[in-house]
Amino acid sequence: MNARTNSGVLATLLGGITLLLPGLGQAGTIGYMDMCGNDQAAHAAAISAAGHTPVYVPVPDSEALATLDGLSVTNCDNGGFGTAYTDHLAAITAAVNGGMVLFVHDRTVTDAGSILPGGGGIQTARSFAGDADIDFPAGSAILTGPGGVLDNNSLDGGNSSTHGFVYQASLPAGGSVLAARPGLLDGEGEGGFEGCEAYGYTGTKLNWCRNVCEKGYTGATLDMWIHRWVNKYHEDPPCAGGPALPPQEMEGATVSYPYGEGRVVYSTIPLDYYLAGSGGNPPRDNFNNVYLPNVIGWALPAPILD
């Protein structure tokens, strides 16, 4: 069985709405991997909870992808993307174009569009502002699913539960936000710091901004970088009282968009951390047992039996 064509065509023609109707899904095979090579049992369990068969895929080459209806990927690295994934990006892109659903839960966030099929125009910002809160747009398709029910408190209180965000306006046609950072769900924005990349910084200034505002440094290390910034640029860092940015579109923590006959789901949630059994509980079990099965179950619904 291969559910690619079924799910891909429905997602493309109807923007994913038809995927919510009962009885249209088929149980499929979903590969899972971490860019660092980890094989996490909780990842496989979430796929099973969504009604599908999990298969560990250490190398997502064309041969392995040919048998899959979906590929669920985590990235445990805060500073880049693993070659186990990037070396096979062309094969992954071709598989999604042919109907596979790709799920990526990422820690790095910076330049994430470059490792996503059709993601060349996607704009992301690595930011830890409000990183312990995750809310949902009204009517989000993942509020209910095979894992259970989520609300705006279900995923709160974690350890840097988002490592940044996706600018809603940069999503490809047909894209949508499934989960978002709080306070910007109405699309009006709050101004203030919105990530170093949003200021157009490059080179040293971009790196120093990240050291001050995004890497979570505290104490003497943070003081050192603040002093370096002020001494060099003679202004406050943007996250410490600098000029506010204009209002932004909704900041997506988990987003989705169609690509070819398939679909991409991308998230700034460091899900590998919770799948490894780390972090407080709640929200750990809600990430592992409710959120992830709901995301997979929406994009690749399993059959509903009478």
Side-chain angles (χ1 to χ4, degrees), residues 3-12 19 69 99 101 261 263 299-301:
R4 289 187 188 178
T5 302
N6 179 44
S7 63
V9 171
L10 289 172
T12 301
L19 291 175
D69 301 290
V101 178
E261 297 296 318
R263 179 162 288 273
L300 278 171

Side-chain angles (χ1 to χ4, degrees), residues 35 81-90 92 115:
M35 292 187 192
F81 306 104
T83 56
Y85 177 94
T86 58
D87 284 353
H88 302 284
L89 182 56
I92 293 169
I115 57 98

Side-chain angles (χ1 to χ4, degrees), residues 66-266:
T67 64
L68 301 179
D69 301 290
L71 177 66
S72 183
V73 181
T74 56
N75 179 20
C76 74
D77 191 341
N78 283 293
F81 306 104
T83 56
Y85 177 94
T86 58
D87 284 353
H88 302 284
L89 182 56
I92 293 169
T93 298
V96 175
N97 187 56
M100 190 182 79
V101 178
L102 174 67
F103 307 86
V104 178
H105 284 83
D106 177 31
R107 286 180 180 238
T108 298
V109 181
T110 302
D111 297 326
S114 67
I115 57 98
L116 300 175
I122 293 177
Q123 297 178 4
T124 59
R126 182 174 167 88
S127 169
F128 291 88
D131 60 351
D133 295 317
I134 298 174
D135 288 349
F136 301 93
S140 171
I142 64 172
L143 285 171
T144 60
V149 178
L150 296 168
D151 59 35
N152 284 343
N153 297 313
S154 299
L155 305 182
D156 292 349
N159 303 79
S160 295
S161 299
T162 62
H163 282 198
F165 58 90
V166 178
Y167 288 101
Q168 178 190 23
S170 73
L171 289 173
S176 61
V177 175
L178 302 175
R181 302 194 330 167
L184 293 166
L185 294 175
D186 57 5
E188 295 179 358
E190 295 178 329
F193 178 69
E194 296 297 342
C196 294
E197 289 182 333
Y199 288 81
Y201 297 152
T202 59
T204 298
K205 195 168 188 178
L206 176 60
N207 290 333
W208 284 22
C209 178
R210 289 172 176 164
N211 288 338
V212 174
C213 301
E214 297 181 353
K215 291 190 176 180
Y217 293 143
T218 59
T221 301
L222 177 60
D223 289 342
M224 175 191 71
W225 282 112
I226 291 175
H227 281 101
R228 285 188 179 184
W229 175 278
V230 172
N231 289 337
K232 183 174 180 64
Y233 300 113
H234 307 291
E235 64 183 21
D236 288 337
C239 58
L245 286 177
Q248 303 293 336
E249 293 289 331
M250 189 187 303
E251 297 177 354
T254 301
V255 301
S256 176
Y257 62 91
Y259 180 77
E261 297 296 318
R263 179 162 288 273
V264 176
V265 177
Y266 172 77

